[in-house]
Amino acid sequence: MDCMKSSLVLLISALLPAGTALAAANNVLVYCSEASPESFNPQIASSGPSFVASSQTLYNRLITFRESDNEPAPSLATDWTISPDGKTYTFTLRQGVKFNSNKYFTPTRDFNADDVLFSVLRQKDDSHPYHKVSQASYEYFNDVGLGKLITEVKKLDDYHVQFTLNQPDATFLAVWGMDFTSILSAEYADAMLKSGTPERVDTDPIGTGPYNLKDYKVDSIIRYEANPHYWQGAVPTQRLIFSITPNVTTRLAKLEKNECQIIPAPNPVNFAEIKRHKELTLHSIDGMNVGYLAFNTAKKPFDNTLVRQALNYAVDKKAIVNAVFLGSGSVAKSPIPPNMLGFDKALADYPYDPAKAKALLKQAGLENGFTTDIWSMPVQRPYNPNSRRIAEMIQSDWAKVGVNAKIVSFEWGEYLSGIRKGEHATALFGWVSDNGDPDNFANTLLGCTSIESGSNAAFWCNKAYEGFIQQAKVSSDPKKRAALYQQAQQVFHEQAPWVPLANGKTFYATRSNVSGYSVSLNGSDFSKAKLD
């Protein structure tokens, strides 16, 4: 760690005026990121740190979300129409939007419909020349079912694109504000394909966002420069630096020393310290998220509903939330957050009842218990600010009913890969809303098709549950959708593929002289951030 820190100091100091050390100049902002990005192409990434470093910094999408009500709003699309049968969407594209350039390529044209088609067809068409570049799996695209839903996407002219669907879909518009729908340059892709280096589209990105990528040193630092032609106006901070700092305590120490000016997900145990510091500010927003422990139902004994129910009864969730969240979260009982359409307020929760847990284990033929593992996340999240501590508390609770659990962890990329492959027995995981729609939780996390893509960490597929969420997906009536999601939650409760743990607020901390930076359903917005 000391060697890495020393290298980081030298790298960042070289960017700054003499005498400032790691304190940023007015045109340089340092963000202490939680982890290295999996990729700079958000189409093939799946983690929050990857999206902050790519889609939310380098790219734009067809729509964005209004912060006031989280409803879809124009971005690269200025307008859209929906046919009466709900199966045809026509987007009008913004004119005059310029792509960034890099040492490999300089654009000769503005953003247009060809870029939308490339960004969609690379993910949808398995015969597309870019489909298998970077061994991409397009997890999100497949999770939300776009491959089957979209029957045709076509260019009407340079600034109009039309999608035809095989059925109405109430989530389709909101999908185009999600990170994986970021628009990439078709012209850049063509040039790299001709040069024999198509993977550069993913490693050396070109987008239309507020910044362009200048340099990346793995597990150390990412450097960005402001896009001089950004369509939303001049970016006030000319240079943005991501200091990759996985340890939450180290992030806070760097913030206190002014080695970075923004940190995500501070530990709740440090909230009082941050509030006391006259040069720091703690920020919070109500989150749409859920943290949970997933049982791998493809593995014994978690293929047995009685075992899963027993271990729900065996976890003292209130004690976990009180000890770990320290007022920054509440006990979860559902895969859908409480502030979202369809949340079932009347849904029963599993009370903490070790005696009931033991009885169910006996009924399952496991009176003497068993041995398993708990995968603990190596990163902090609003829904899980201290994964190791949560894992230890679950481990202790399970030991009281005869279940011996070993806690294991891995580097974040390896952790995600292992879950996709189903290597875990149980795993702490969670989700933050991408688009404000309950389908983003109910289907993405627990739908049958999400098993193959890897976001269904429980490897759970239930026909009754699937029927309810698929009916909800095609309905345009909010009341009907809400009722269907509530029925799905009843099935979820009875089948218990998870131990739902907590819904957390989203916290971040900044130096007090930082203004303009915001976190919302759109993610982290650096485009207006500056040092006063």
Side-chain angles (χ1 to χ4, degrees), residues 190-437:
D190 288 343
M192 293 303 98
L193 193 63
K194 289 176 183 176
S195 71
T197 56
E199 67 282 351
R200 282 198 177 131
V201 169
D202 303 329
T203 60
D204 299 278
I206 284 180
T208 60
Y211 287 91
N212 58 14
L213 179 69
K214 295 300 293 181
D215 184 56
Y216 172 45
K217 290 184 168 43
V218 179
D219 295 335
S220 178
I221 191 170
I222 311 172
R223 293 184 289 183
Y224 304 88
E225 283 191 356
N227 176 358
H229 309 294
Y230 189 42
W231 61 274
Q232 294 197 66
V235 178
T237 302
Q238 292 303 299
R239 287 182 285 183
L240 176 65
I241 299 169
F242 278 29
S243 170
I244 299 167
T245 313
N247 185 276
V248 64
T249 303
T250 305
R251 287 202 298 273
L252 178 57
K254 288 183 176 182
L255 185 70
E256 291 175 332
K257 295 175 184 176
N258 201 24
E259 293 179 10
C260 57
Q261 289 75 54
I262 304 171
I263 64 169
N267 195 321
V269 300
N270 298 125
F271 286 175
E273 176 185 351
I274 295 170
K275 291 176 181 178
R276 286 194 301 268
H277 198 298
K278 64 180 181 180
E279 295 180 352
L280 304 183
T281 302
L282 181 68
H283 308 261
S284 70
I285 60 173
D286 290 331
M288 288 185 176
N289 60 59
V290 62
Y292 57 90
L293 180 90
F295 299 114
N296 187 341
T297 63
K299 289 185 174 182
K300 292 184 179 298
F302 303 112
D303 58 340
N304 189 327
T305 305
L306 294 175
V307 173
R308 302 194 300 265
Q309 291 174 341
L311 295 190
N312 265 272
Y313 281 114
V315 176
D316 189 348
K317 296 195 293 188
K318 289 183 179 179
I320 289 173
V321 170
N322 289 338
V324 177
F325 286 80
L326 302 176
S328 67
S330 57
V331 171
K333 60 180 180 179
S334 164
I336 296 176
N339 53 350
M340 186 169 277
L341 174 74
F343 175 73
D344 187 355
K345 295 180 181 179
L347 184 70
D349 197 7
Y350 286 87
Y352 178 52
D353 190 341
K356 179 69 172 177
K358 288 182 179 180
L360 287 171
L361 288 174
K362 182 178 181 180
Q363 188 178 344
L366 294 168
E367 183 176 3
N368 296 321
F370 60 93
T371 299
T372 189
D373 60 42
I374 299 173
W375 281 31
S376 172
M377 295 166 54
V379 296
Q380 293 75 39
R381 289 289 182 271
Y383 52 75
N384 191 330
N386 189 334
S387 184
R388 182 74 190 190
R389 179 64 180 134
I390 291 176
E392 289 170 348
M393 294 184 73
I394 293 173
Q395 179 189 49
S396 176
D397 285 343
W398 284 357
K400 295 171 186 174
V401 299
V403 176
N404 179 29
K406 178 185 177 182
I407 299 172
V408 295
S409 191
F410 307 92
E411 180 272 331
W412 187 224
E414 188 178 356
Y415 191 92
L416 295 171
S417 176
I419 286 179
R420 292 188 194 107
K421 295 174 183 176
E423 295 172 353
H424 60 293
T426 75
L428 288 167
F429 217 35
W431 196 256
V432 177
S433 178
D434 292 302
N435 60 19
D437 193 278

Side-chain angles (χ1 to χ4, degrees), residues 60-65 71-77 80 91 173-178 181 522:
N60 297 115
R61 286 146 292 288
L62 292 181
I63 71 160
T64 186
F65 298 103
E71 287 296 309
S75 183
L76 290 182
W80 48 84
F91 290 92
L173 187 58
V175 160
W176 295 100
M178 294 172 65
T181 64
N522 295 305

Side-chain angles (χ1 to χ4, degrees), residues 429-480:
F429 217 35
W431 196 256
V432 177
S433 178
D434 292 302
N435 60 19
D437 193 278
D439 180 78
N440 188 225
F441 288 79
N443 188 25
T444 301
L445 304 183
L446 291 161
C448 295
T449 57
S450 298
I451 294 175
E452 184 177 350
S453 62
S455 63
N456 185 338
F459 286 75
W460 179 70
C461 177
N462 179 276
K463 289 183 179 180
Y465 179 91
E466 187 76 9
F468 290 133
I469 64 171
Q470 294 305 325
Q471 288 180 65
K473 192 177 179 74
V474 301
S475 174
S476 59
D477 182 343
K479 290 184 179 179
K480 181 181 289 186

Side-chain angles (χ1 to χ4, degrees), residues 498-521:
W498 297 354
V499 179
L501 292 170
N503 306 111
K505 287 187 175 182
T506 297
F507 286 85
Y508 61 98
T510 67
R511 300 288 299 184
S512 297
N513 63 335
V514 173
S515 65
Y517 172 76
S518 63
V519 178
S520 67
L521 189 59

